[in-house]
Amino acid sequence: MTSTTPPPSTVPPEPAANSFQVDLRGLVDLLSHHLYSSPRVYVRELMQNAVDAVTARQAIEPDADVRIGLWAADGTVGISDSGIGLTAAEAHSLLATIGRSSKRGGEHGLETARKDFLGQFGIGLLACFVVATEIRVVTRSARDLTARPVEWLATDDGSYTVRELDHDAMHEPGTTVVLRARHGAEEWMTPAKVEQLARDYGSLLPYDITFRAGRDDEPRSVTDRPAVWDRPYPTPAARRVALAGHCARLFGFTPLDSIDLDLPVAGVRGVAYVLPEPTSPAHRSGHRVHLKGMLLTDQASNLLPDWAFFVRVVLDTDTLRPTASRENLYDDETLAAVREALGSRVRAWLAELAAGEPERLAAFLGVHHLGVKSLARHDAELLGLMLPWLPFETSDGSMSLEEFAAAHSEIHFTRTVEEFRQIAPIAAAHGLGVINAGYTYDADLLALLPAVRPELKVTELDAGAVTERLDPVPTAVELSLASFLSTARTRLEPQGCDVVLRAFQPVAVPALYLDDRQARQERDRTAALDSADSLWTGILGALRGSAPRARLVLNHNNPLIRRIAGLPDETLTGTAVESLYGQALLMSQRPLRPADSALLNRAFLGLLEWATHSHDAQEGQK
């Protein structure tokens, strides 16, 4: 018996690890066309690296001098700092590696980076290639004072060199970066443009940064600290004047008022400026956000609740997360909490005005009552607080809900402006309290009113409620006009409209068209019934309700109505009634159905034919 030994198992070798290769030209295209909104961000990158380098040195040498200087001349831009510096090994490792940052891991850790440093994503100096064809860095480490200065020189073809220099090349720790403009980007490196960008981005940075237009120019500071809202002022009035000037320079308008946003728990300090003119609730203002002093964005649209569209905000924060481009805020739970806290502060400001400064509140509401109404929809306490101040259009004129409720225990409202304008004069003359809820948010607030004032009854205006308030005509008079009313009802039956006779003011109104939601629903059901098949006819017929129909209320006080009621010709009477219906419908400014348009046409032509026939008859008698 022969034994066989299985062959030894063969294990495939582990694959060798390889590094990703990055095409620098492709990266620059990605940064300039997709990540960053504008080449202007390169100035921010330069300042950001300098500030982080100084912050890192301060952590190990609290007494070290702080120096950051920016300059621009002859197609080059440079910045020098007295920061932590780099060794040759660190220059190789950090300056040319995408995604690696000296602020990550190691001694500091990511959370520390977020707290103390501006940069977090490791894009660093390579982002400056959006405007530069060459980047030269000369740096000396503060951690290793024996290390020689290092030159790191990179070009936009994707290559770089690192060489050590003599000690005399740089006596103190720190870093100098010089950019040489690429063709077509020279405008971004002019002294005026660089200084303007440095002031825009760096005005609130924690260290003094200077700018020179050339090496021989006198340096001038681009930072403006402390922030205007943190400075001491001799009086509150002086502070308001200073804030108003700051708003005018920053946003281009003089604010109606300002709201302090001092929220240490949320890591936010700043101010909200109240717009001096009304703005649409749908408009989303761009707010100005600084992250640890560096401007992050001036177009943050997700910083405040939607209802706070009447303010523009500028603030500094150390808690919110930036997006990778550092040009906007990352919408996460932290931002949601800050948004809620800022909204609460604006709400508290309104409460403070209501409690102690009614003149300022009245001036504010005169411009921005829509914003407060929007907020009050979700806050019954604020609605109760604002009742004496929020303006509404009513049948008694423009007034607050509290004033209106004092005169009317039962409040009716219309859902459209057109319906209100038709009924308001008549309602006022007959003591009927009606509010125009056709404007934004008003219907929502009226629905909440009974929760704040339980003694009030709020209902949508219906045809029956109005008719009941109008004076009835004497029974004998109505009986004498029974034939006229029968003719009128027969003519308007196809329109789904009833006819009633009342006496009301003003006398100049011959007829009033009254409609409500129930009547409209009944008409829609009837229209659907007419066009439905046999199955749906049965179903819709079973849904027939007792909802009142639309009403044409004829005004017996009006002389024209009395003359029409006395016409001997029934056909002419019917045509006149159709004309009254059409005129009342047009006055209500409701959309016309095809049947209504046809009726108007028919009535107009009928009256013309009657007028010309009468004229011909008169001529014939002559």
Side-chain angles (χ1 to χ4, degrees):
M1 184 173 173
T2 305
S3 63
T4 60
T5 304
S9 60
T10 57
V11 179
E14 292 289 332
N18 295 283
S19 298
F20 284 103
Q21 301 298 311
V22 176
D23 177 1
L24 186 59
R25 291 185 185 274
L27 174 66
V28 170
D29 180 74
L30 175 68
L31 294 176
S32 58
H33 293 100
H34 301 285
L35 184 62
Y36 295 134
S37 62
S38 165
R40 71 199 302 267
V41 297
Y42 87 93
V43 173
R44 184 196 63 198
E45 295 292 341
L46 291 176
M47 298 170 68
Q48 176 177 287
N49 285 339
V51 169
D52 285 344
V54 169
T55 300
R57 186 171 182 187
Q58 289 283 301
I60 63 172
E61 293 182 56
D63 297 331
D65 290 336
V66 173
R67 175 182 47 80
I68 301 177
L70 187 66
W71 73 89
D74 303 324
T76 63
V77 172
I79 190 169
S80 296
D81 66 69
S82 58
I84 195 70
L86 300 172
T87 64
E90 290 170 337
H92 272 293
S93 174
L94 299 175
L95 294 183
T97 305
I98 307 300
R100 181 173 297 172
S101 170
S102 62
K103 278 80 75 175
R104 294 191 174 191
E107 179 182 350
H108 299 289
L110 182 55
E111 291 306 316
T112 302
R114 286 180 179 169
K115 179 180 178 183
D116 297 327
F117 296 101
L118 298 171
Q120 301 170 21
F121 296 95
I123 297 173
L125 282 178
L126 295 184
C128 294
F129 276 119
V130 297
V131 296
T133 186
E134 176 187 282
I135 301 175
R136 180 174 183 262
V137 179
V138 177
T139 181
R140 183 170 185 174
S141 175
R143 291 194 185 95
D144 184 359
L145 297 178
T146 64
R148 298 169 64 181
V150 177
E151 179 194 66
W152 181 87
L153 183 64
T155 57
D156 61 357
D157 63 2
S159 64
Y160 73 91
T161 61
V162 177
R163 66 188 180 102
E164 293 186 335
L165 305 176
D166 293 335
H167 284 284
D168 291 342
M170 196 170 194
H171 296 284
E172 298 294 332
T175 301
T176 297
V177 181
V178 180
L179 311 181
R180 187 169 300 281
R182 68 166 51 248
H183 180 68
E186 294 87 355
E187 63 173 304
W188 295 103
M189 289 194 171
T190 62
K193 174 64 75 173
V194 174
E195 183 175 10
Q196 179 254 316
L197 292 176
R199 292 183 184 279
D200 200 34
Y201 279 116
S203 62
L204 299 184
L205 286 172
Y207 308 115
D208 186 45
I209 299 177
T210 61
F211 174 80
R212 289 179 291 126
R215 292 182 179 274
D216 299 328
D217 188 36
E218 187 68 25
R220 46 190 176 271
S221 178
V222 299
T223 49
D224 187 20
R225 299 173 296 110
V228 64
W229 53 83
D230 283 331
R231 297 173 188 172
Y233 296 96
T235 64
R239 186 174 190 274
R240 280 197 295 270
V241 169
L243 289 175
H246 177 252
C247 178
R249 292 190 299 273
L250 207 59
F251 295 124
F253 65 86
T254 300
L256 190 66
D257 211 334
S258 58
I259 308 168
D260 281 318
L261 304 176
D262 185 7
L263 304 169
V265 176
V268 168
R269 284 282 295 153
V271 63
Y273 293 117
V274 180
L275 294 168
E277 297 177 351
T279 186
S280 167
H283 177 69
R284 294 292 170 263
S285 297
H287 305 294
R288 192 175 178 90
V289 179
H290 296 256
L291 180 63
K292 305 179 187 73
M294 181 72 78
L295 178 66
L296 184 70
T297 178
D298 58 4
Q299 294 298 321
S301 59
N302 55 354
L303 185 64
L304 290 182
D306 290 344
W307 55 261
F309 56 83
F310 50 84
V311 297
R312 293 284 297 275
V313 167
V314 54
L315 58 79
D316 188 23
T317 176
D318 58 11
T319 58
L320 300 178
R321 288 178 57 195
T323 58
S325 66
R326 294 188 290 284
E327 291 186 286
N328 216 327
L329 295 170
Y330 190 78
D331 209 335
D332 56 9
E333 292 180 358
T334 303
L335 178 57
V338 169
R339 185 186 302 121
E340 183 177 350
L342 292 174
S344 297
R345 179 67 196 95
V346 176
R347 179 189 176 283
W349 171 78
L350 286 171
E352 291 164 7
L353 291 188
E357 300 188 70
E359 295 84 3
R360 287 174 65 193
L361 178 63
F364 166 75
L365 290 177
V367 179
H368 294 298
H369 57 274
L370 272 182
V372 180
K373 286 182 177 181
S374 174
L375 173 58
R377 290 181 305 154
H378 310 290
D379 191 330
E381 183 182 350
L382 182 66
L383 175 58
L385 186 69
M386 292 289 111
L387 278 181
W389 310 103
L390 289 176
F392 286 80
E393 186 177 4
T394 79
S395 52
D396 295 345
S398 180
M399 61 180 60
S400 72
L401 279 179
E402 188 153 287
E403 291 174 314
F404 192 71
H408 303 277
S409 59
E410 185 174 0
I411 296 175
H412 300 275
F413 66 90
T414 63
R415 289 190 177 272
T416 67
V417 175
E418 293 77 19
E419 187 178 5
F420 172 81
R421 288 179 180 167
Q422 183 196 21
I423 200 65
I426 297 166
H430 293 270
L432 187 66
V434 182
I435 291 180
N436 181 3
Y439 296 120
T440 307
Y441 308 131
D442 284 4
D444 295 335
L445 292 179
L446 289 171
L448 292 173
L449 190 56
V452 180
R453 296 284 191 275
E455 71 278 8
L456 296 178
K457 181 181 178 182
V458 179
T459 58
E460 184 174 353
L461 185 71
D462 60 64
V466 178
T467 307
E468 289 171 5
R469 287 298 186 101
L470 304 180
D471 296 333
V473 298
T475 304
V477 173
E478 189 162 6
L479 286 174
S480 68
L481 298 176
S483 176
F484 162 69
L485 291 174
S486 176
T487 299
R489 287 167 182 151
T490 300
R491 277 299 185 102
L492 296 185
E493 175 64 28
Q495 311 305 123
C497 181
D498 197 7
V499 178
V500 295
L501 187 65
R502 292 290 188 272
F504 57 87
Q505 300 296 326
V507 174
V509 177
L512 176 65
Y513 180 81
L514 295 177
D515 199 5
D516 54 35
R517 185 167 51 183
Q518 289 179 316
R520 288 190 290 272
Q521 288 172 346
E522 180 65 16
R523 280 202 308 273
D524 292 341
R525 187 202 63 78
T526 303
L529 182 65
D530 293 339
S531 60
D533 57 27
S534 58
L535 173 62
W536 282 106
T537 297
I539 295 174
L540 292 170
L543 294 177
R544 180 185 297 274
S546 58
R549 300 194 300 171
R551 299 182 185 185
L552 181 68
V553 183
L554 301 178
N555 187 1
H556 189 254
N557 289 339
N558 183 274
L560 176 63
I561 295 298
R562 294 183 182 182
R563 287 197 296 271
I564 292 174
L567 290 173
D569 186 337
E570 185 176 319
T571 301
L572 179 58
T573 300
T575 301
V577 168
E578 287 181 337
S579 299
L580 289 170
Y581 170 84
Q583 187 264 353
L585 199 61
L586 291 173
M587 290 297 293
S588 70
Q589 299 186 33
R590 289 175 172 82
L592 295 180
R593 298 171 296 164
D596 294 329
S597 298
L599 178 144
L600 279 169
N601 237 0
R602 184 172 65 248
F604 177 71
L605 294 175
L607 289 176
L608 283 180
E609 184 176 349
W610 176 83
T612 54
H613 176 75
S614 299
H615 177 75
D616 291 343
Q618 291 173 3
E619 288 295 322
Q621 291 175 358
K622 293 179 181 179

